[in-house]
Amino acid sequence: MSDEFDKDFDPAFIEKLDAISDADAEARAKSLRAGLEDYDLESEDFDVIDGDLAGIVDEEELGPLPVLAIVGRPNVGKSALVNRIIGRREAVVEDKPGVTRDRVSYKAEWNNRKFTLVDTGGWEPNAKGIDKSVAEQAEIAIELADAVLFVVDATVGATSTDERVVKLLRASGKPVILAGNKIDDVYQEPEIANLWSLGLGEPMPVSALHGRGVADMLDAALAVLPKVSGVAQMEVGGPRRVALIGRPNVGKSSLLNKAVGSERAVVNDLAGTTRDPIDEQVTIAGKVWRFVDTAGIRRKKHLAQGADFYASLRTLAALERAEVAVVLFDVMEPISEADIRIVDMALESGRALVLAFNKWDELDDERRRWLEREIETKLAHVAWAPRVNISAKTGRHIEKLVPALEVALDSWDTRIQTGKFNAFLQELTMENPHPVRGGKQPRILFGTQASSRPPKFVLFTTGFIEEGYRRFITRRLRETYGFEGTPIEIGMRVREKRKRS
């Protein structure tokens, strides 16, 4: 599909759009809007069309999503429950204790409320080796969480390990929902009574395998989850908020220290040495910024291991509180899968994006050539993000971050008038119509920008718009309006013509 639309951009397209006056564009949009009356629309469609998205947008802009952590000893079915909640098979599930190694976060939604779901490995007291690491991850996840879903195997009953977990949960002071898993049918439900002994209130019988009881369990979880996370609260107003993210030892702390002008963050050649939360107001090239991190999350001193896990947790929390992410790369190392995962985490968060390549002053010509190839191939999906080449240690070119951050945030905030957007869609589809598939050619009836931060567009169509064509629209949007440094989301609503009686 993408090959059909890989032709070079024609600058005459922009000239043609510029020739359309605002009044003409609005008139076109009104005509297209009137044409929608012939189609079966839902009540939510009118909210989108009329721009009445205040309820949806305001909820997202209040701050970071609340966090629900799932904990429990190994092999009680936590990952299967995660898959059931998010509605897709993503968490690792295997009939073997302790398969889940790293805590993984997912965006989840229930009854029109969004939250972050955190899956952990099994918690074991006095665990050694990898089990010890998994235990630490669960403890850290509890610290991050606003509420905890404690999963117990109801067919086994409360074990001494479960009772140790209860002590950990009580010490955290977080709201706890107790779920007795593996109650697959009504005949097993009496077994749930044994879990009252844990002293966490009424245990909820669930079956991750079959979905029994999961709805009631989620209702109970949402009843105790706040609307906005209390562990990583976002400021309103003030300097723009920047998350410095990247894999361990790429120079995040060095960059922060150079920007602040003091040894605020611990810097050590050992990867993953940053431990304490950091939230600093800095001035770069005369502009004030707030570099955000995991304020509100306190790491216990005895949790000495699990640096990679903690780095992942810090990244998630920093993104939740930020407006723009600066992803740092160590140019002396090949761009790795870990680097790409962090970029993708930033994309999933919907934040504006800047790519910063650190230690640039140490590059030789050969490594520079290889790096450019790596960027072209491995970072092609974020080719729209501004690039800055810096040296965090010496401070060289750090001031170049400012225009990159400003252009990314301006794009992130951008709104296109409905008239202009529909003129764009009309001209685009006339020159490059969607291909005919199965004898049918879907048409775009009307389009609107539903929100910004990041820009989200909704298309009302007569049929399914293929992903390749949506990518084509996104590319043309960037070429026409810029949108440098921000992800763009394009959704569609397929509507059928109303049958006349």
Side-chain angles (χ1 to χ4, degrees):
M1 179 73 188
S2 60
D3 293 338
E4 301 177 57
F5 301 100
D6 275 346
K7 63 183 80 170
D8 292 335
F9 180 62
D10 182 4
F13 181 78
I14 295 180
E15 294 176 8
K16 194 179 294 184
L17 282 180
D18 288 342
I20 301 172
S21 67
D22 289 350
D24 188 23
E26 287 301 322
R28 286 199 200 185
K30 285 182 179 178
S31 175
L32 293 172
R33 167 68 179 85
L36 285 179
E37 300 296 338
D38 295 333
Y39 290 81
D40 281 323
L41 300 181
E42 301 174 2
S43 58
E44 289 182 358
D45 295 339
F46 292 104
D47 293 339
V48 173
I49 294 166
D50 298 332
D52 185 18
L53 286 174
I56 300 172
V57 175
D58 287 348
E59 182 179 337
E60 292 181 351
E61 291 182 352
L62 281 173
L65 296 174
V67 179
L68 178 66
I70 297 186
V71 303
R73 58 186 178 81
N75 211 32
V76 295
K78 296 184 298 300
S79 295
L81 198 53
V82 168
N83 289 333
R84 176 65 61 179
I85 292 170
I86 65 177
R88 57 190 186 274
R89 191 177 178 86
E90 285 197 13
V92 176
V93 179
E94 187 176 316
D95 191 17
K96 178 182 176 183
V99 167
T100 302
R101 294 298 180 221
D102 297 321
R103 157 242 164 248
V104 182
S105 67
Y106 306 94
K107 297 293 188 233
E109 185 174 353
W110 178 250
N111 282 347
N112 296 320
R113 276 190 61 189
K114 296 178 181 178
F115 58 97
T116 298
L117 190 65
V118 173
D119 184 17
T120 66
W123 189 92
E124 285 274 14
N126 305 316
K128 305 294 182 183
I130 187 66
D131 292 332
K132 180 181 179 184
S133 175
V134 168
E136 290 168 346
Q137 292 171 13
E139 292 190 64
I140 296 169
I142 291 171
E143 285 191 78
L144 171 74
D146 295 291
V148 178
L149 180 61
F150 179 32
V151 185
V152 178
D153 185 341
T155 63
V156 173
T159 67
S160 59
T161 300
D162 291 326
E163 290 168 358
R164 294 285 295 274
V165 177
V166 170
K167 291 182 180 179
L168 177 67
L169 292 169
R170 282 184 176 150
S172 75
K174 303 291 175 69
V176 179
I177 298 92
L178 174 60
N181 192 26
K182 305 186 182 180
I183 301 296
D184 297 333
D185 55 51
V186 68
Y187 301 106
Q188 291 180 295
E189 288 201 4
E191 297 181 31
I192 201 75
N194 296 326
L195 302 183
W196 279 95
S197 64
L198 291 172
L200 292 175
E202 181 178 2
M204 308 198 72
V206 300
S207 170
L209 185 64
H210 301 295
R212 294 183 77 251
V214 172
D216 291 339
M217 178 196 72
L218 286 173
D219 288 341
L222 291 182
V224 297
L225 272 178
K227 290 287 180 67
V228 178
S229 178
V231 295
Q233 292 182 350
M234 182 188 291
E235 297 177 35
V236 177
R240 305 303 293 262
R241 298 178 297 277
V242 183
L244 295 179
I245 63 175
R247 59 184 171 82
N249 214 31
V250 295
K252 297 186 294 294
S253 297
S254 295
L255 177 56
L256 178 63
N257 286 335
K258 187 57 67 172
V260 173
S262 65
E263 291 295 312
R264 174 66 176 85
V266 177
V267 179
N268 190 298
D269 287 337
L270 180 65
T273 50
T274 301
R275 287 288 180 264
D276 296 325
I278 295 169
D279 201 18
E280 284 286 358
Q281 187 163 300
V282 304
T283 302
I284 305 175
K287 301 280 186 175
V288 179
W289 306 89
R290 181 164 296 280
F291 283 9
V292 302
D293 209 285
T294 53
I297 303 169
R298 292 292 185 266
R299 180 173 164 79
K300 296 174 184 174
K301 292 181 180 178
H302 72 276
L303 298 179
Q305 305 296 319
D308 287 345
F309 169 73
Y310 189 56
S312 175
L313 183 122
R314 287 166 54 89
T315 298
L316 171 69
L319 285 169
E320 290 283 2
R321 301 182 57 245
E323 297 171 283
V324 56
V326 175
V327 182
L328 267 75
F329 300 84
D330 181 345
V331 298
M332 302 307 293
E333 300 287 336
I335 295 176
S336 67
E337 289 299 320
D339 290 316
I340 296 169
R341 279 198 300 272
I342 290 168
V343 169
D344 290 344
M345 195 183 298
L347 287 179
E348 185 181 341
S349 75
R351 301 312 186 250
L353 179 64
V354 172
L355 307 180
F357 294 88
N358 190 26
K359 305 182 185 178
W360 195 263
D361 53 339
E362 299 178 24
L363 273 183
D364 57 30
D365 290 341
E366 183 179 359
R367 174 62 192 139
R368 184 178 285 110
R369 285 193 297 271
W370 279 107
L371 177 63
E372 289 296 340
R373 291 178 191 173
E374 291 170 13
I375 292 171
E376 286 178 13
T377 55
K378 297 183 179 180
L379 298 178
H381 63 307
V382 287
W384 43 262
R387 280 177 52 184
V388 181
N389 304 326
I390 64 171
S391 172
K393 187 179 289 186
T394 66
R396 185 171 180 232
H397 291 161
I398 284 181
E399 71 281 357
K400 291 186 176 180
L401 277 173
V402 171
L405 290 169
E406 288 179 335
V407 73
L409 284 166
D410 284 347
S411 297
W412 196 59
D413 291 334
T414 293
R415 278 186 178 272
I416 300 177
Q417 294 178 352
T418 302
K420 286 291 188 183
F421 182 53
N422 280 279
F424 164 86
L425 289 173
Q426 272 194 323
E427 297 296 330
L428 186 71
T429 53
M430 280 192 290
E431 289 189 9
N432 300 277
H434 191 289
V436 176
R437 297 290 190 247
K440 295 182 179 180
Q441 184 180 47
R443 290 188 301 113
I444 297 174
L445 302 167
F446 184 80
T448 186
Q449 183 172 352
S451 64
S452 57
R453 318 188 78 187
K456 299 178 183 178
F457 298 90
V458 176
L459 308 178
F460 290 86
T461 70
T462 61
F464 181 79
I465 303 296
E466 295 179 14
E467 183 182 354
Y469 196 80
R470 279 178 277 149
R471 283 199 305 269
F472 168 65
I473 294 174
T474 301
R475 191 165 73 249
R476 286 293 186 258
L477 275 170
R478 293 192 185 282
E479 291 163 341
T480 305
Y481 296 104
F483 287 119
E484 184 181 0
T486 181
I488 295 174
E489 297 181 21
I490 294 186
M492 62 182 166
R493 301 191 176 199
V494 179
R495 296 296 178 256
E496 295 182 353
K497 205 155 194 175
R498 185 181 295 114
K499 296 178 181 178
R500 300 193 181 277
S501 55

